[in-house]
Amino acid sequence: MRIAALAFGVLALTFFIVRQQRNAPPVQAAEPGKTALLIRFGVDGVKDADWSGSIAPAPSRLRGWQFDANDSSGAADWKCITREQTYWDTPYEREMGPTSRKTKVTVKGVVAEFDLSTPEVRIATAHGSFTIVPDAGLWTAPRRFLDGRVEVRAAPAATAFANLQKESEDYPSLVEARDGTLWMAYQAWDGKADRIYVRRYKGSAWSRPEAVASEGGDYFRTAIAEDRDGKIWVAWAARTGANFDLYAKAYDGRRWTTAERLTAAAGSDIFHSLIRDRSGNLYLAYQSARSGNFDIYLRIYDGRRWSDEMQISSDPANDWEPVLAAAPDGRVTIVWDTYAKGDYDIVSRTLRNGKLGPLAPIANSGAFETRASVQYDAQGRLWIAWDEGDWNWGKDYGNLIPESGRGLLVRRQTRVAVLANGKLLETKAAISAAIPEDLRQVFQQPHLVLDERDAPWVFFRYRVNLPQGGGGGGASRAMWRTGATAYRNDRWLPMIEFPEGYGRIDAPVQAVRTRDGNLGVAWVSDGRLWPNGALREQEMYFASLPASSSAAPSDLAAFKPSSENLRVSHDREAEDVARVRAYRAKTGSAGWRIVRGDIHRHTDISWDGNRDGSLNDAYRYALDAAAFDFLGVCDHQAGGSVPYNWWMIQKAVDLFTIEGKFAPLYSYERSLPWPNGHRNVLFAERGRSILDLSDAERRGEEGAGKLYAYLRRSGGITTSHTSATGAGTDWRDSDPELEPVVEIYQGYRNSYEAPITPRQVGRQEASRFGAGFVWNAWAKGIKMGVQSSSDHVSTHISYAALYVDRLDRTALLAAMKARRTYAATDNLILDLRMGEHFLGESFDAESVPALKAYVRGTGPLARVALVKNNRLIYTAAGDGPELTFTYTDADAASGESYYYIRAEQTNGQIAWSSPIWVRKR
């Protein structure tokens, strides 16, 4: 225990000041030589039990765990009652359906920190008292007391890091130098720009932050390593112009060198990984957007200079997030995931004596297999941990459809394997056994590190659903925490919880083995607290865990890949997408092409994003599973109006932009109840502010006037959605320049075209809010085009199609402003025109020109309906996947009329065109 003094805490640093939630005490930093106990009450599931009590001796710090507003804690006592509550629950469901509910008793607890020398701790409650010795055994086996009603386990004693500028910190990386100094690199945002810092730990304290890139910029992720000469290298991605390139600096023992630019490709170079081999050479792997997709590249530093780039992958599909592992014999292996066969697989290539070996599959079932973490052991075996999700990830999943896929976060679990002598093996005990049963559906983002005896530790993020209404208005449905487990004596240890480990799904966790036999762990939290779960500003933590094991695992068996197998519903999808992209429409001297996308997609940054993936998952989905040309991530108030969240969301747009191939938008959602409704806000340019919601807007006393004025100033547009619901509008406000399109269909819920139309279910809500149907907006004279997007959860069944002259953000907004749009549930082509006037246009004429429609489906068409002024006037029967018709309106009267088409396939897929408005003089 004395040897592990560093293992349980480090020197307290200035506390990072963050926004505090209601009734939430500030998180303090752990002091040196501390250990922490997580004491949980009511694990027997008995409701309305009063677990108020006290602890002696008084801990150096005591705080509640899963306390709500009715609970409280003092210096050495607390008051809490275990209550039965209804939770937002997400079981593994074959059909999407509504979010399930689950009623259960909320376990409560306290986290108490003590000196390592504390011989024993006595806990007194109304249900009895007990004594516990805070020894190292609590890391491997939690103990039960009072007839199993109380559980005590060890927890990391965390130090909160913060520099004096009170910045939002993110993306730490760790390395222990040969002289025993522990180095940490990270990025920090000061409200205007990012900077890159390092800290050092040697002896008994962490150093103050040292600026590596102090000039301020737009940075993404850090990586750190020591070269053969003992120089410490830090690498990061920085936005230069329109994309991100990689830079690095070295510390030679006296000063930092000038930043060296390591990449200069036209596309972004990101998700970099840095490692040293046995000889002291450094390897830098990264994904780079070139030739319209992401590939993996590598550079090597031999102590004198960086080598030329080496292309590691060359498949036309996207390759993602490379990591590196250095073997004892000098080999270096690059591992990444690829979408080469239409789903994500883990693959690798190995450099031996400077020669690159062939591509080798590691995990290549039809499941979602991504984000590897790797390390070689002393025997030369490659340990790998990765995310495994569903088969047909990101394919057809939504409301009122035959599902053949899964959403972005239905199931996501960590897998661990060992590559030995060309064979993929795994531990006989499954890592999932270490996770409490109600948390097993989602535990992901693994970071693997081997201890001094080559036994694996795996750190991960897991989802915790929250009680409904437990935190008052605006409470989140879920939080994500940091957890860990290690393999000991033929089993994975019960999950270790990091009490300060709350944060977004992809909040980074980094760990490194230190020479004292422990693990140094750095992670990021965004300050969420139970039971509200609201996002706050970023801060970074560090802890050290005692990691010594008895022996390296030897009970390995053949790896069993995921065996689920879902049918493919779009067996010619690549051909369908290529056809849409190749289609050209010409009106007068203008020529248009179709681009497809989704401008209403949520992530876990939204309060209700418990079944959505991370921000990075949204872009993987758009680029790969859906093959979109654009995307608008529209999280609520850009992540609760937390400035750093909006900075992250905007940064992601730039990270994943691929010139001429993929043009995401800067976007967020403003969510108001009826009659103002939910609206998505879209920008072509970065740096626009978030418009907060006013109480007058929430009460319906103030309309969209303030929003429209804001959009005029900032150059944005907006689009309503779920219009015929309590989150919709009665169209009391409109502006054809600022609100030019409407979401007529979303896969998560319904169609909002009109009552009793395809994909619309006659619900009680629709009868109450029927004024919000799109037909009613058109009937009022409001000119809006249509688009279709996904909102939450649903995937691959909502397509916003725009006719543009080029693919960039400005052209996307121009197409929406001109209403050159249509909505679809599959890759259909719609072309509607009157003479030289195209869909979305409004014009005057002496006589109404003949209307010409062209539809190309992905399968046989059932019918194409022509609607005039909300009345069906003509139906063309389908005969195969292609249909053209011309229609002349012999009944056209003076005044304005509008016409649009709705195409339906025999398999239920649909598309809606924007109307054409014509005023007959």
Side-chain angles (χ1 to χ4, degrees):
M1 295 292 288
R2 297 179 187 277
I3 296 175
L6 175 60
F8 295 93
V10 292
L11 185 67
L13 298 170
T14 304
F15 175 64
F16 186 97
I17 299 177
V18 296
R19 299 179 181 180
Q20 294 300 313
Q21 289 177 294
R22 183 184 60 184
N23 300 320
V27 177
Q28 302 296 327
E31 297 177 5
K34 298 291 182 182
T35 185
L37 300 177
L38 172 57
I39 306 164
R40 305 199 308 157
F41 307 112
V43 294
D44 57 345
V46 175
K47 65 179 178 179
D48 300 327
D50 188 343
W51 284 100
S52 301
S54 61
I55 190 166
S60 58
R61 183 161 64 117
L62 181 73
R63 59 199 185 279
W65 179 87
Q66 294 193 171
F67 275 17
D68 58 35
N70 299 308
D71 305 317
S72 61
S73 63
D77 60 357
W78 59 88
K79 293 181 180 180
C80 70
I81 297 175
T82 54
R83 299 176 177 86
E84 186 176 71
Q85 295 177 288
T86 300
Y87 277 71
W88 296 102
D89 195 53
T90 54
Y92 189 86
E93 298 165 330
R94 288 292 179 182
E95 302 296 329
M96 184 185 75
T99 302
S100 300
R101 311 294 195 268
K102 184 176 182 180
T103 300
K104 63 180 179 180
V105 173
T106 301
V107 177
K108 303 292 180 70
V110 293
V111 180
E113 291 181 4
F114 294 93
D115 293 334
L116 287 172
S117 58
T118 303
E120 64 179 22
V121 175
R122 181 171 178 79
I123 294 96
T125 76
H127 302 281
S129 302
F130 60 92
T131 300
I132 187 167
V133 176
D135 57 35
L138 287 171
W139 290 102
T140 59
R143 297 173 197 167
R144 292 287 185 97
F145 299 91
L146 303 183
D147 298 323
R149 304 181 69 185
V150 178
E151 180 194 80
V152 181
R153 58 175 63 190
T159 293
F161 281 85
N163 57 47
L164 299 179
Q165 289 75 31
K166 303 180 179 64
E167 296 169 322
S168 298
E169 300 158 325
D170 214 339
Y171 297 111
S173 54
L174 294 169
V175 69
E176 186 182 53
R178 282 171 287 181
D179 67 359
T181 302
L182 184 62
W183 289 78
M184 176 190 296
Y186 59 96
Q187 68 185 56
W189 183 68
D190 65 2
K192 295 181 180 179
D194 294 318
R195 287 172 174 78
I196 304 296
Y197 293 103
V198 297
R199 291 180 186 261
R200 295 181 253 178
Y201 185 91
K202 187 174 184 181
S204 60
W206 283 94
S207 68
R208 293 172 61 86
E210 303 171 52
V212 177
S214 60
E215 62 276 13
D218 195 359
Y219 302 142
F220 179 64
R221 295 171 66 105
T222 68
I224 190 167
E226 182 186 30
D227 70 11
R228 68 179 69 203
D229 299 321
K231 291 186 293 185
I232 301 297
W233 285 83
V234 177
W236 66 95
R239 185 162 65 96
T240 51
N243 71 288
F244 281 78
D245 290 311
L246 293 174
Y247 292 79
K249 274 188 177 183
Y251 182 75
D252 62 8
R254 298 185 304 276
R255 64 182 65 87
W256 289 95
T257 62
T258 302
E260 185 173 353
R261 185 172 182 173
L262 299 182
T263 64
S268 287
D269 302 305
I270 52 178
F271 288 107
H272 49 291
S273 179
L274 185 65
I275 201 171
R276 184 184 70 196
D277 71 5
R278 181 185 63 180
S279 301
N281 301 312
L282 298 185
Y283 294 74
L284 180 71
Y286 48 95
Q287 72 179 61
S288 182
R290 309 181 192 186
S291 304
N293 66 286
F294 284 109
D295 279 313
I296 307 303
Y297 285 79
L298 181 75
R299 293 191 71 174
I300 304 172
Y301 180 74
D302 63 4
R304 300 186 308 277
R305 66 178 184 86
W306 288 93
S307 70
D308 294 335
E309 287 184 317
M310 181 185 302
Q311 187 170 352
I312 304 300
S313 71
S314 57
D315 193 277
N318 286 308
D319 298 300
W320 295 85
E321 300 191 43
V323 290
L324 294 159
D329 63 2
R331 290 173 292 155
V332 171
T333 297
I334 310 103
V335 180
W336 68 96
D337 62 84
T338 180
Y339 205 74
K341 65 180 181 64
D343 61 79
Y344 289 112
D345 299 311
I346 306 292
V347 297
S348 70
R349 296 188 76 177
T350 297
L351 273 165
R352 188 192 298 268
N353 299 323
K355 295 183 178 179
L356 191 62
L359 186 73
I362 293 176
N364 63 342
S365 73
F368 173 96
E369 293 154 327
T370 65
R371 298 190 178 95
S373 179
V374 294
Q375 187 176 346
Y376 274 104
D377 64 17
Q379 302 176 50
R381 303 180 301 183
L382 182 65
W383 285 82
I384 315 120
W386 69 89
D387 280 348
E388 181 186 274
D390 299 290
W391 285 56
N392 286 6
W393 180 86
K395 297 301 183 180
D396 287 17
Y397 187 72
N399 194 24
L400 307 174
I401 66 158
E403 292 170 349
S404 59
R406 293 288 178 266
L408 304 192
L409 200 63
V410 177
R411 179 184 69 88
R412 188 75 59 81
Q413 297 172 330
T414 290
R415 295 295 302 268
V416 180
V418 187
L419 188 62
N421 299 319
K423 295 182 179 180
L424 194 64
L425 309 172
E426 64 181 340
T427 57
K428 290 183 178 179
I431 190 172
S432 59
I435 315 301
E437 186 174 359
D438 63 341
L439 303 176
R440 287 178 190 168
Q441 188 172 338
V442 177
F443 65 103
Q444 61 182 106
Q445 300 276 146
H447 180 78
L448 180 145
V449 62
L450 303 179
D451 67 19
E452 62 180 351
R453 298 190 180 181
D454 280 342
W457 279 74
V458 179
F459 300 84
F460 49 84
R461 307 283 296 159
Y462 63 98
R463 183 178 61 199
V464 182
N465 294 309
L466 292 175
Q468 295 184 40
S476 294
R477 292 180 178 176
M479 295 195 294
W480 283 261
R481 289 173 174 163
T482 296
T485 182
Y487 201 67
R488 297 287 185 275
N489 301 321
D490 304 335
R491 70 185 183 99
W492 290 94
L493 299 182
M495 184 182 73
I496 297 168
E497 179 183 314
F498 287 62
E500 284 87 8
Y502 297 134
R504 66 187 192 269
I505 287 177
D506 59 353
V509 182
Q510 290 289 303
V512 63
R513 183 177 68 199
T514 54
R515 62 184 57 202
D516 59 7
N518 299 313
L519 296 181
V521 187
W523 70 96
V524 169
S525 170
D526 59 15
R528 309 181 198 210
L529 293 174
W530 188 282
N532 185 282
L535 290 73
R536 300 188 296 170
E537 297 290 357
Q538 298 283 123
E539 60 182 323
M540 194 167 60
Y541 289 87
F542 177 85
S544 190
L545 306 182
S548 297
S549 61
S550 55
S554 59
D555 60 326
L556 302 176
F559 180 80
K560 294 180 180 179
S562 170
S563 59
E564 181 187 24
N565 194 351
L566 297 178
R567 68 180 180 86
V568 175
S569 60
H570 302 267
D571 53 357
R572 292 184 294 184
E573 183 174 6
E575 178 184 327
D576 294 336
V577 171
R579 184 188 305 112
V580 174
R581 286 176 170 163
Y583 186 76
R584 296 294 182 267
K586 188 172 183 180
T587 58
S589 61
W592 314 108
R593 55 170 288 199
I594 301 170
V595 292
R596 306 149 42 261
D598 186 334
I599 57 174
H600 181 195
R601 177 108 220 140
H602 286 275
T603 77
D604 71 300
I605 297 174
S606 287
W607 68 268
D608 50 354
N610 56 318
R611 294 191 291 169
D612 297 309
S614 67
L615 186 59
N616 289 341
D617 276 350
Y619 283 95
R620 282 177 174 260
Y621 164 69
L623 283 163
D624 293 331
F628 282 150
D629 304 301
F630 62 91
L631 176 70
V633 169
C634 282
D635 285 315
H636 296 292
Q637 286 301 105
S641 294
V642 175
Y644 184 70
N645 294 332
W646 183 223
W647 178 252
M648 278 196 307
I649 290 168
Q650 293 180 96
K651 181 181 298 187
V653 171
D654 296 326
L655 288 169
F656 295 109
T657 295
I658 302 177
E659 187 175 359
K661 176 70 179 294
F662 184 66
L665 293 161
Y666 307 105
S667 50
Y668 70 96
E669 179 176 326
R670 299 184 84 241
S671 301
L672 290 162
W674 180 277
N676 279 322
H678 290 208
R679 285 177 165 98
N680 297 318
V681 176
L682 313 170
F683 300 107
E685 296 181 355
R686 187 171 173 178
R688 302 305 188 251
S689 62
I690 300 299
L691 179 63
D692 287 332
L693 305 170
S694 70
D695 290 338
E697 286 180 290
R698 292 187 180 96
R699 293 190 298 265
E701 299 167 356
E702 181 180 297
K706 184 168 65 176
L707 171 63
Y708 292 156
Y710 156 78
L711 293 172
R712 287 189 187 94
R713 293 193 306 270
S714 56
I717 63 172
T718 188
T719 171
S720 291
H721 66 86
T722 55
S723 54
T725 72
T729 179
D730 58 4
W731 310 111
R732 61 185 57 195
D733 297 308
S734 67
D735 188 309
E737 293 296 319
L738 302 172
E739 196 162 11
V741 294
V742 61
E743 185 180 288
I744 196 170
Y745 170 78
Q746 65 166 236
Y748 183 47
R749 290 183 177 90
N750 218 333
S751 163
Y752 301 101
E753 178 186 8
I756 318 175
T757 52
R759 300 276 180 115
Q760 202 287 317
V761 176
R763 301 176 179 176
Q764 183 177 359
E765 186 178 42
S767 64
R768 182 181 175 189
F769 301 104
F773 282 114
V774 177
W775 269 19
N776 293 326
W778 289 334
K780 290 179 69 172
I782 298 173
K783 292 181 173 63
M784 289 188 298
V786 298
Q787 57 93 8
S788 172
S789 292
S790 57
D791 198 350
H792 290 284
V793 184
S794 68
T795 51
H796 208 252
I797 59 172
S798 303
Y799 295 79
L802 316 179
Y803 277 96
V804 300
D805 57 358
R806 65 190 187 282
L807 179 54
D808 61 31
R809 282 181 273 278
T810 301
L812 295 177
L813 260 65
M816 285 185 268
K817 288 180 178 180
R819 303 184 294 267
R820 289 192 307 272
T821 66
Y822 66 89
T825 66
D826 200 357
N827 293 302
L828 284 79
I829 298 171
L830 295 190
D831 185 325
L832 180 68
R833 59 186 72 198
M834 279 186 167
E836 290 299 313
H837 297 282
F838 202 45
L839 54 79
E841 288 191 50
S842 172
F843 66 97
D844 293 349
E846 295 293 338
S847 61
V848 176
L851 182 146
K852 184 176 182 180
Y854 171 75
V855 179
R856 179 57 164 91
T858 60
L861 292 165
R863 68 192 64 84
V864 177
L866 174 62
V867 178
K868 172 191 175 183
N869 296 344
N870 298 348
R871 183 173 62 88
L872 178 65
I873 62 170
Y874 175 74
T875 300
D879 183 18
E882 200 166 17
L883 188 151
T884 301
F885 71 83
T886 300
Y887 181 87
T888 300
D889 185 4
D891 298 325
S894 297
E896 187 173 66
S897 296
Y898 50 92
Y899 304 78
Y900 74 94
I901 58 173
R902 178 179 62 239
E904 300 175 55
Q905 295 188 169
T906 58
N907 64 0
Q909 303 289 5
I910 308 175
W912 301 259
S913 79
S914 290
I916 297 177
W917 287 264
V918 55
R919 182 180 299 277
K920 184 180 178 182
R921 291 193 288 266

